[in-house]
């Protein structure tokens, strides 16, 4: 059974930084795309960032491009999201995701999901 556990969320002032981490168990992630999504109150869950199985390709939503960086450590079975220059509109529950299919991407939504971690950015 695949399990994803996020950590690193919290309260930060606008302009600050946070690092989210996701630890996977139940599978070795090295053959799977990994990603981050978020859901703000009253809104649908949206894509934030994705990294290919090898780590050679990364994708970002326009709203976070240039501010967030995704990385993975296949040896540790973890994926991180480094968030800089945070804005109040980044406030959301952030979810880690892993693709259900090998060598695939999380952007299409066929994923396993973590429980989420809250990020709150104050103005």
């Amino acid at each position: 059974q695949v399990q994803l556990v996020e950590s690193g969320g919290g309260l930060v002032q606008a302009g600050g930084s946070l690092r989210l981490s996701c630890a996977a168990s139940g599978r070795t992630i090295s053959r799977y795309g990994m990603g981050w999504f978020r859901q703000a109150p009253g809104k649908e869950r949206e894509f934030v960032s994705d990294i290919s199985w090898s780590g050679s390709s990364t994708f970002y939503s326009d709203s976070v491009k240039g501010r967030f960086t995704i990385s993975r450590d296949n040896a540790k079975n973890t994926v991180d999201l480094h968030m800089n220059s945070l804005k109040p509109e980044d406030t959301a529950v952030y979810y880690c995701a892993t693709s259900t299919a090998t060598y695939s991407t999380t952007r299409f939504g066929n994923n396993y999901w973590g429980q989420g971690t809250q990020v709150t950015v104050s103005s």
Side-chain angles (χ1 to χ4, degrees), residues 3-11 17-24 34-37 69 71 76-83 86 92-97 113-120:
Q3 289 190 328
L4 303 173
V5 178
E6 303 94 338
S7 62
L11 174 64
S17 300
L18 280 176
R19 187 188 75 170
L20 305 183
S21 293
C22 173
M34 300 293 297
W36 290 91
F37 291 69
T69 303
S71 62
K76 295 182 178 180
N77 238 30
T78 59
V79 61
D80 288 351
L81 185 68
H82 298 258
M83 306 185 296
L86 283 161
V93 177
Y94 283 71
Y95 296 91
C96 178
W113 301 93
Q115 291 300 306
T117 185
Q118 177 71 46
V119 171
T120 303

Side-chain angles (χ1 to χ4, degrees), residues 22-96:
C22 173
S25 61
R27 67 154 55 159
T28 301
I29 67 170
S30 59
R31 296 187 298 159
Y32 299 90
M34 300 293 297
W36 290 91
F37 291 69
R38 68 186 182 186
Q39 186 168 19
K43 295 186 177 181
E44 294 187 353
R45 186 158 53 188
E46 64 173 1
F47 169 77
V48 174
S49 181
D50 175 86
I51 186 167
S52 63
W53 62 275
S54 65
S56 61
S57 298
T58 56
F59 302 89
Y60 299 93
S61 67
D62 288 343
S63 61
V64 307
K65 197 173 297 181
R67 301 187 296 121
F68 291 12
T69 303
I70 191 170
S71 62
R72 65 188 294 159
D73 188 331
N74 286 342
K76 295 182 178 180
N77 238 30
T78 59
V79 61
D80 288 351
L81 185 68
H82 298 258
M83 306 185 296
N84 297 318
S85 302
L86 283 161
K87 305 175 181 180
E89 50 264 44
D90 294 319
T91 295
V93 177
Y94 283 71
Y95 296 91
C96 178

Side-chain angles (χ1 to χ4, degrees), residues 99-120:
S99 59
T100 56
T102 54
Y103 310 114
S104 185
T105 175
T106 62
R107 287 171 288 154
F108 302 141
N110 294 322
N111 303 319
Y112 295 108
W113 301 93
Q115 291 300 306
T117 185
Q118 177 71 46
V119 171
T120 303

